[in-house]
């Protein structure tokens, strides 16, 4: 197959899939020569010759985390290359089994990876005025389309892979580039719902990276900024609503660990309010009902720790009532399992004082936010 850049908007022509590059280029040149000379917009070409349908990282990927190499490190003596964070966990090479005597930085390969990313960021051309004179060779003026968001989709994929493999710094680096790209687009296009939702999702993932490394203050800053951008998006999108409530809950979680229960309750209650509004507009969506029940339980848990036992019991009872009245279809077995799990836990809270809910709900919401973030750049 003929490779095409992974960040272009246009799909690959069907008639080019089974032909050699030279044949396709010659035929296209003949067609272009027969066409009237005119301006046109074409997709930018990847300097490395890749495309979105056949894209493979090859030597630019780490076989451990399956993501774009970050801080390339070479094993001695076998010379196999991995991400520094990935290979540091091994005593022998995962590819050949050779004992690792030492690990050296591979500056040259890392430079190639960096240029690969930077090259895609620069495949942009300013709009050309159609009234300008043609060039001397009478070739048509080519206007390249912007590809920064497609690059974001690619880097999001690489960041998610790195994050799943616990290569936090790699994930953080890719997410940071994504956020810079979207901020650049925001400056040009304004606060469009699409851009605000994308930036909100990416900032939330940067918050997760900081939280994973123990940097609570930076994590809170990212989550708060995520909330600010997601607040600008219409609340009719359930994914956006869920991501917004998750970011609010994560700030509450961090405040909880800091011992600031009043701030914790404030953020949990904001998340509850967002989810209640979503449920009022989508009362037949089971996931919305379960989300509200989880938020009720989180607020009730804090109320209990603040000494407001009656208020806490009322919150737990409201959550139980919602869960017991909810009917989940047989096709949604995973959702039903979640409903039963939350119901069992909330029932247990009426008889004892426990804060396990914080950890349980946080794990679920971390999974959900990653899923939402991964899809936020999809067309």
């Amino acid at each position: 197959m003929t490779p095409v850049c992974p960040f272009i908007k246009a799909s690959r022509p069907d008639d080019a899939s089974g032909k050699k590059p030279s044949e396709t280029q010659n035929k296209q040149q003949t067609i272009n020569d027969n066409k009237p000379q005119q301006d046109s917009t074409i997709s930018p070409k990847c300097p490395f010759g890749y495309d979105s349908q056949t894209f493979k990282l090859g030597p630019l990927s780490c076989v451990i985390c399956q993501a774009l190499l970050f801080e390339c490190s070479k094993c001695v003596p076998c010379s196999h290359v991995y991400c520094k964070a990935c290979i540091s966990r091994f005593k022998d090479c995962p590819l050949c089994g050779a004992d690792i005597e030492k690990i050296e930085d591979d500056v040259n390969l890392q430079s190639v990876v960096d240029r690969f990313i930077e090259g895609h960021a620069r495949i942009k051309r300013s709009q050309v005025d159609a009234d300008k004179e043609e060039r001397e060779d009478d070739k048509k003026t080519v206007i390249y389309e912007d590809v920064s968001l497609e690059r974001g989709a690619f880097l999001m994929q690489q960041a998610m892979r790195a994050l799943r493999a616990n290569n936090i710094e790699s994930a953080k680096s890719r997410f940071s580039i994504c956020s810079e790209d979207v901020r650049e687009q925001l400056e040009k296009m304004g606060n469009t719902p699409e851009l605000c939702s994308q930036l909100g999702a990416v900032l939330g993932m940067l918050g997760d990276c900081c939280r994973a490394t123990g940097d609570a203050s930076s994590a809170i800053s990212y989550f708060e900024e995520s909330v600010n951008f997601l607040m600008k998006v219409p609340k009719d999108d359930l994914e956006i609503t869920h991501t917004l409530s998750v970011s609010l809950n994560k700030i509450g979680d961090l405040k909880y660990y800091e011992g600031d229960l009043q701030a914790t309750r404030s953020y949990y209650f904001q998340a509850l309010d967002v989810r209640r509004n979503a449920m009022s507009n989508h009362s037949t969506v089971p996931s919305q009902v379960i989300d509200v029940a989880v938020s009720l339980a989180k607020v009730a848990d804090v109320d209990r720790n603040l000494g407001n036992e009656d208020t806490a019991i009322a919150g737990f009872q409201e959550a139980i009532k919602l869960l017991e009245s909810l009917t989940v279809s047989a096709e949604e077995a995973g959702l039903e399992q979640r409903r039963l799990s939350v119901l069992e836990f909330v029932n247990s809270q009426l008889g004892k004082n426990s804060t396990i809910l914080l950890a349980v709900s946080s794990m679920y919401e971390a999974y959900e936010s990653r899923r939402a973030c991964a899809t936020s750049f999809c067309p």
Side-chain angles (χ1 to χ4, degrees):
M1 290 186 177
T2 304
V4 185
C5 177
F7 313 116
I8 61 176
K9 296 178 181 178
S11 60
R12 191 161 55 101
D14 294 336
D15 60 356
S17 59
K19 299 177 182 176
K20 295 181 179 180
S22 59
E23 295 175 348
T24 303
Q25 292 170 0
N26 292 336
K27 181 176 179 180
Q28 188 63 43
Q29 182 63 45
T30 302
I31 294 174
N32 289 339
D33 291 341
N34 294 331
K35 286 183 177 180
Q37 300 300 321
Q38 59 182 0
D39 290 353
S40 65
T41 299
I42 67 173
S43 299
K45 298 193 181 298
C46 171
F48 285 80
Y50 291 109
D51 78 45
S52 57
Q53 298 183 25
T54 64
F55 181 66
K56 294 182 179 178
L57 288 173
L60 304 185
S61 67
C62 172
V63 300
I64 298 175
C65 67
Q66 302 295 311
L68 200 62
L69 282 164
F70 180 75
E71 296 183 337
C72 299
S73 298
K74 180 170 58 179
C75 297
V76 177
C78 69
S79 295
H80 287 128
V81 182
Y82 308 90
C83 297
K84 184 175 183 179
C86 295
I87 194 58
S88 63
R89 306 166 194 160
F90 292 81
K91 295 182 178 180
D92 49 46
C93 177
L95 277 176
C96 66
D99 291 339
I100 300 174
E101 296 179 3
K102 64 177 179 177
I103 297 174
E104 297 177 343
D105 294 339
D106 193 329
V107 179
N108 292 332
L109 183 54
Q110 186 61 55
S111 176
V112 173
V113 174
D114 293 341
R115 283 187 287 115
F116 174 79
I117 298 174
E118 190 67 14
H120 283 91
R122 298 295 175 259
I123 307 177
K124 303 174 184 178
R125 302 291 185 272
S126 59
Q127 186 79 5
V128 178
D129 190 344
D131 294 333
K132 288 185 178 180
E133 294 182 1
E134 296 287 340
R135 292 177 297 176
E136 293 181 0
D137 57 2
D138 287 332
K139 295 292 184 181
K140 62 182 179 181
T141 301
V142 175
I143 303 171
Y144 284 85
E145 61 187 12
D146 186 10
V147 295
S148 61
L149 295 185
E150 283 70 15
R151 180 175 86 135
F154 166 74
L155 289 175
M156 284 291 296
Q157 179 193 59
Q158 302 307 307
M160 296 301 294
R161 289 180 178 179
L163 191 58
R164 286 193 293 268
N166 203 33
N167 191 346
I168 306 300
E169 290 304 319
S170 174
K172 187 176 180 181
S173 173
R174 310 315 180 202
F175 285 134
S176 295
I177 297 174
C178 289
S179 68
E180 292 170 4
D181 281 352
V182 181
R183 289 183 194 278
E184 180 182 334
Q185 292 300 308
L186 281 167
E187 291 180 1
K188 296 177 180 178
M189 303 173 63
N191 293 331
T192 67
E194 180 184 10
L195 292 175
C196 287
S197 64
Q198 289 175 350
L199 185 55
V202 175
L203 290 169
M205 296 310 298
L206 279 167
D208 282 336
C209 291
C210 292
R211 186 168 64 167
T213 59
D215 187 356
S217 60
S218 295
I220 290 175
S221 295
Y222 278 124
F223 288 137
E224 287 178 338
E225 193 176 6
S226 171
V227 168
N228 289 336
F229 279 102
L230 293 173
M231 284 288 192
K232 301 175 182 179
V233 182
K235 303 303 184 295
D236 54 350
D237 188 316
L238 294 183
E239 285 288 353
I240 299 303
T241 299
H242 181 79
T243 304
L244 171 59
S245 64
V246 166
S247 289
L248 287 166
N249 275 335
K250 287 177 178 177
I251 300 173
D253 292 347
L254 292 168
K255 294 295 183 180
Y256 191 105
Y257 293 130
E258 291 177 355
D260 189 347
L261 295 182
Q262 293 292 348
T264 299
R265 191 184 191 284
S266 174
Y267 283 108
Y268 283 171
F269 194 83
Q270 289 180 62
L272 172 59
D273 191 48
V274 169
R275 290 177 169 180
R276 273 180 165 157
N277 289 334
M279 189 181 74
S280 65
N281 296 324
H282 304 276
S283 57
T284 60
V285 179
S287 61
Q288 300 304 305
V289 178
I290 297 176
D291 278 350
V292 171
V294 170
S295 280
L296 282 167
K298 290 173 80 73
V299 173
D301 181 66
V302 179
D303 283 333
R304 172 170 282 169
N305 280 275
L306 287 170
N308 303 322
E309 185 66 20
D310 291 341
T311 305
I313 291 176
F316 287 131
Q317 289 176 337
E318 184 180 352
I320 291 170
K321 184 177 179 180
L322 282 175
L323 293 169
E324 288 181 340
S325 63
L326 177 62
T327 302
V328 180
S329 64
E331 292 77 14
E332 299 177 295
L335 203 58
E336 173 63 10
Q337 183 177 2
R338 183 188 171 214
R339 183 189 74 85
L340 294 174
S341 176
V342 175
L343 179 60
E344 179 182 3
F345 181 81
V346 176
N347 270 313
S348 70
Q349 298 311 293
L350 294 179
K352 63 179 181 180
N353 186 352
S354 172
T355 59
I356 302 176
L357 177 66
L358 177 64
V360 174
S361 61
S362 295
M363 286 191 297
Y364 171 79
E365 289 178 341
Y367 165 79
E368 286 292 302
S369 65
R370 290 178 185 179
R371 180 179 64 81
C373 189
T375 60
S376 65
F377 280 83
C378 296

